[in-house]
């Protein structure tokens, strides 16, 4: 409706003073700098959208400079847009999010820059599958992780390890969309029951963009990816990886420390301008232990411990091991449990009681408890939220070696006889149990694709709390995970087949 004027093809250079000036609004999001591509969009619509964004506190650049973080285009064919971008854009195109107008409209609606999702991306590839329906007829492998069966046997580790490094780099550079692209590619390869041995074999596979294919080509030819190797020897990457390995330190904090010139844990400790929060203090205190993988035998010992603690307090309460260990993984970074009571509402005091019981036993090293903020009347939520609203706690527990069959995962020469382990407990009300169990069983990629599938293919909204049918305008009840798969019209996938 805004395409009312014919756009002259003369490109006028804007006056420098205009660039980046927010105009009629106060700047609210300093880290995000938009550039709206005029071609196909048209000048009048571009002006309109520019004013709109600035009035909401966004910075909109008039010129495509190195400062731009988000390039937004409308109605462009991906290949012609990219051809044009490569022609006119400066060298750091690789660090920009190249996005469809849907990201812009989502952000305007939310009045903040929303997280970039795969569906927002305009990929640099003719071959890239689009985010619409499934290209199922062409391929046997679905683009959705929730339609694939992925065990812990990975025949393509050589590629998926490389993609993991590239995804991590994107994460450090706040390029969520590209990060997701690599994660989706890795996830798809993990589902194959055969190793990819030649590039031709990828022709019928979904989720592989040009970049991913180029990396695979290199690995197939030389046995390694030079891009990945370069990255792994890059100082910034190494430092961000080191800092984010500390419990409580995310990419933003790690970047801040790196920019301060800090290059080791010793540097962080010695810098008196840095105030560590309680989580980070404990992260450093127990770093050696909690950065070491937790074994299945250790997870079993913790299951017995939590079971014992829960049944002392609430004999009828149920404890379920979830997360990676429920999917049959041999090692994990933590141990995740769901605890609930058969009577609705009785779960409310469960976690505080468990925490005091563990403390009484002398095995509680750290506890961060979050009371429930769950409110059924606020559902369905269309917003993507990283966390659900159930009561939960993030713990560090002391695990004695004597409790673990075959002994502890510890360093050689460590004679303490115990180790610290990260444990997460979540306690949903019993009528939300199936949704919480499905959500907490993971993998993250499996969960993402369940939600994406529900939204795109079924017009339904799924999260850790509920499933909502937008067509029928009603919530769909479920007491088991199988009920949820059935509502979604999906074949049931066992937990051990969800290692996407
Ligand atoms: N989860 C979630 N919301 C979050 C974080 C996690 O719904 N904000 C889900 C997805 C996976 C599951 O909880 C457990 O999370 P992790 O412990 O991080 O993953 P994992 O698969 O158990 O991996 P690991 O074996 O390394 O612990
Ligand atoms: Mg886990």
């Amino acid at each position: 409706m805004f395409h009312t004027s014919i756009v002259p093809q003369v490109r006028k250079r804007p006056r420098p003073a205009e660039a980046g000036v927010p105009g009629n609004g106060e700047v609210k999001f300093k880290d995000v700098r938009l550039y709206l591509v005029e071609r196909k969009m048209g000048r009048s619509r571009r002006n309109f959208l520019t004013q709109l964004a600035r009035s909401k506190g966004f910075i909109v650049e008039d010129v495509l400079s190195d400062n731009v973080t988000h390039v937004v285009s409308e109605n462009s064919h991906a290949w012609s847009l990219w051809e044009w971008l490569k022609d006119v854009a400066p060298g750091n195109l690789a660090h920009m999010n190249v996005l469809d107008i849907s990201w812009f409209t989502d952000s305007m609606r939310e009045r903040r820059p929303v997280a970039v999702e795969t569906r927002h991306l305009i990929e640099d590839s003719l071959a890239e599958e689009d985010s619409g329906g499934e290209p199922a007829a062409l391929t046997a492998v679905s683009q959705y992780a929730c339609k694939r069966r992925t065990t812990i046997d990975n025949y393509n580790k050589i590629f998926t390890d490389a993609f993991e490094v590239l995804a991590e780099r994107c994460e450090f550079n706040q390029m969520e969309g590209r990060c997701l692209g690599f994660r989706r590619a890795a996830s798809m390869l993990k589902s194959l029951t055969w190793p990819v041995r030649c590039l031709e074999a990828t022709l019928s596979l979904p989720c592989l963009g040009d970049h991913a294919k180029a990396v695979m080509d290199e690995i197939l030819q030389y046995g390694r990816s030079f891009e990945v190797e370069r990255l792994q020897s890059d100082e910034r990457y190494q430092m961000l990886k080191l800092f984010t390995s500390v419990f409580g330190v995310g990419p933003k904090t790690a970047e801040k420390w790196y920019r301060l010139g800090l290059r080791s844990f010793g540097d962080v400790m010695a810098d008196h301008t840095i105030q560590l929060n309680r989580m980070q203090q404990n992260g450093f205190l127990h770093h050696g232990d909690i950065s070491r993988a937790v074994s299945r035998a250790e997870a079993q010992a913790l299951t017995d411990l939590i079971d014992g603690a829960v049944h002392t307090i609430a004999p009828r309460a149920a404890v379920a091991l979830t997360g990676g260990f429920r999917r049959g993984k041999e090692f994990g970074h933590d141990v995740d449990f769901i605890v609930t009571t058969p009577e609705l509402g009785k779960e409310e005091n469960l976690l505080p009681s468990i925490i005091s019981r563990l403390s009484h036993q002398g095995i509680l090293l750290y506890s961060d408890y979050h009371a429930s903020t769950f409110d059924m009347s606020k559902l369905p939520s269309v917003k993507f939220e990283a966390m659900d609203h159930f009561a939960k706690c993030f713990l560090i527990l002391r695990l004695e070696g004597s409790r673990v069959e075959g002994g502890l995962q510890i360093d050689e020469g460590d004679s303490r006889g115990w180790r610290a382990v990260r444990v997460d407990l979540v306690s949903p009300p019993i009528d939300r149990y199936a949704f919480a169990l499905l959500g907490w069983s993971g993998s993250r990629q499996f969960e993402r694709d369940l939600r994406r599938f529900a939204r795109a293919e079924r017009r339904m909204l799924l999260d850790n709390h509920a499933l909502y049918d937008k067509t029928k305008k009603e919530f769909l009840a479920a007491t088991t995970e199988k009920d949820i798969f059935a509502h979604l019209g999906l074949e049931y996938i066992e937990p051990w087949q969800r290692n996407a």
Side-chain angles (χ1 to χ4, degrees):
M1 62 172 159
F2 296 100
H3 299 268
T4 46
S5 69
I6 309 265
V7 186
Q9 286 305 305
V10 190
R11 274 206 288 154
K12 259 210 292 193
R13 196 171 276 278
R15 278 167 293 160
E18 283 177 352
V21 174
N24 45 1
E26 179 198 339
V27 173
K28 289 199 190 128
F29 315 106
K30 294 201 177 66
D31 296 336
V32 173
R33 287 174 176 266
L34 311 188
Y35 176 80
L36 303 178
V37 179
E38 191 176 302
R39 53 201 301 280
K40 299 286 175 187
M41 182 184 285
R43 179 165 298 182
S44 61
R45 175 146 164 91
R46 181 179 188 239
N47 286 343
F48 169 78
L49 296 178
T50 300
Q51 289 310 315
L52 178 72
R54 287 177 180 167
S55 72
K56 291 182 196 281
F58 288 77
I59 300 174
V60 185
E61 300 275 2
D62 289 313
V63 182
L64 184 52
S65 73
D66 282 8
N67 295 331
V68 168
T69 58
H70 293 62
V71 175
V72 175
S73 167
E74 185 171 41
N75 298 330
S76 279
H77 285 299
W79 56 270
S80 73
L81 173 70
W82 273 91
E83 239 175 36
W84 178 79
L85 279 173
K86 283 172 188 169
D87 212 5
V88 299
N92 70 337
L93 195 52
H95 299 289
M96 291 174 187
N97 292 291
V98 179
L99 304 168
D100 174 64
I101 193 74
S102 60
W103 177 84
F104 183 93
T105 46
D106 286 358
S107 299
M108 291 306 113
R109 193 177 50 238
E110 299 267 341
R111 299 176 163 273
R112 65 178 172 90
V114 297
V116 173
E117 295 176 31
T118 318
R119 69 191 165 90
H120 297 131
L121 284 182
I122 302 181
E123 294 273 10
D124 178 16
S125 161
L126 265 175
E128 200 67 44
E129 49 154 6
D130 64 38
S131 54
E134 272 183 284
L138 285 174
T139 75
V141 180
S142 171
Q143 62 149 314
Y144 292 110
C146 56
K147 296 193 80 172
R148 306 189 294 250
R149 293 172 199 272
T150 313
T151 67
I152 54 174
D153 303 316
N154 178 3
Y155 296 94
N156 290 285
K157 196 166 181 310
I158 187 167
F159 306 116
T160 59
D161 283 352
F163 289 167
E164 189 45 48
V165 175
L166 295 167
E168 220 164 10
R169 186 243 317 253
C170 296
E171 204 163 31
F172 291 153
N173 292 341
Q174 267 116 58
M175 302 186 47
E176 296 95 343
R178 279 173 177 243
C179 173
L180 247 135
F182 285 120
R183 295 241 150 93
R184 282 180 69 190
S187 166
M188 184 280 296
L189 289 178
K190 283 181 190 172
S191 75
L192 303 181
T193 51
W194 44 275
V196 172
R197 292 223 167 84
C198 62
L199 211 56
E200 289 71 48
T202 64
L203 282 176
S204 61
L205 295 174
C207 311
L208 295 174
D210 278 356
H211 194 164
K213 280 188 185 156
V215 172
M216 290 179 76
D217 192 19
E218 215 174 32
I219 295 175
L220 285 166
Q221 279 191 57
Y222 307 105
R224 49 204 245 249
S225 156
F226 300 105
E227 184 186 2
V228 169
E229 281 185 355
R230 252 195 325 274
L231 188 57
Q232 283 174 316
S233 59
D234 175 69
E235 192 198 37
R236 176 168 175 270
Y237 173 82
Q238 286 174 358
M239 283 300 123
L240 295 185
K241 204 161 159 59
L242 178 72
F243 292 151
T244 54
S245 75
V246 178
F247 176 50
V249 179
K252 289 232 165 91
T253 306
E255 176 74 31
K256 197 173 84 191
W257 291 353
Y258 179 76
R259 289 201 181 164
L260 284 171
L262 311 180
R263 295 295 180 267
S264 67
F265 288 167
D267 287 353
V268 177
M269 296 301 154
D271 189 320
H272 296 296
T273 65
I274 291 178
Q275 286 280 331
L276 298 177
N277 62 32
R278 207 168 60 88
M279 193 183 258
Q280 294 162 345
Q281 285 168 17
N282 281 276
F284 276 112
L285 190 60
H286 301 292
H287 184 262
D289 276 349
I290 59 185
S291 61
R292 196 169 24 251
V294 183
S295 71
R296 171 161 285 284
E298 289 169 340
Q300 183 54 53
L302 282 157
T303 308
D304 297 342
L305 260 173
I306 299 293
D307 241 344
V310 169
H311 290 115
T312 318
I313 309 153
R316 284 161 49 74
V319 178
L321 178 67
T322 174
F325 288 110
R326 180 163 186 247
R327 303 196 307 273
K329 276 174 63 175
E330 288 302 323
F331 293 97
H333 94 284
D334 67 357
V335 193
D336 308 284
F337 295 99
I338 300 191
V339 292
T340 191
T341 51
E343 305 90 354
L344 193 64
K346 283 272 164 56
E347 78 287 345
E348 223 160 83
N349 289 320
L350 205 49
L351 292 187
S353 311
I354 296 171
I355 293 167
S356 37
R357 172 77 197 153
L358 296 170
S359 168
H360 182 73
Q361 288 176 279
I363 58 174
L364 187 71
L365 300 175
Y366 169 83
S367 164
D368 176 20
Y369 170 68
H370 297 258
S372 168
T373 54
F374 175 63
D375 180 353
M376 195 67 194
S377 69
K378 296 231 171 88
L379 296 183
S381 169
V382 284
K383 267 204 317 240
F384 171 78
E385 289 177 281
M387 274 288 170
D388 58 54
H389 292 271
F390 303 130
K392 59 177 74 64
C393 57
F394 308 109
L395 310 176
I396 300 177
L397 297 185
R398 177 187 163 112
L399 179 62
E400 295 295 333
S402 55
R403 292 183 176 272
V404 181
E405 203 183 314
L408 288 170
Q409 287 279 114
I410 47 170
D411 281 338
E412 229 174 284
D414 186 338
S415 58
R416 287 173 305 163
W418 65 274
R419 65 163 290 185
V421 189
R422 275 269 303 109
V423 171
D424 287 347
L425 306 181
V426 57
S427 74
I430 186 72
D431 63 340
R432 304 289 107 208
Y433 181 77
F435 298 101
L437 180 63
L438 179 60
W440 276 77
S441 293
S443 68
R444 276 160 205 263
Q445 206 54 40
F446 190 86
E447 303 300 329
R448 264 191 204 119
D449 275 6
L450 264 178
R451 292 192 283 264
R452 189 164 68 94
F453 176 84
R455 194 181 54 228
E457 307 290 337
R458 300 287 185 257
R459 279 183 46 81
M460 290 182 187
L461 297 172
L462 172 71
D463 63 15
N464 286 4
H465 314 103
L467 177 63
Y468 181 76
D469 186 326
K470 292 205 282 184
T471 311
K472 293 187 189 153
K473 294 195 170 57
E474 65 183 28
F475 287 101
L476 306 175
T479 51
T480 64
E481 290 177 315
K482 285 194 174 127
D483 295 342
I484 303 171
F485 281 89
H487 283 314
L488 290 168
L490 283 171
E491 276 179 41
Y492 181 64
I493 309 282
E494 298 283 354
W496 51 271
Q497 298 169 326
R498 299 180 202 161
N499 287 288

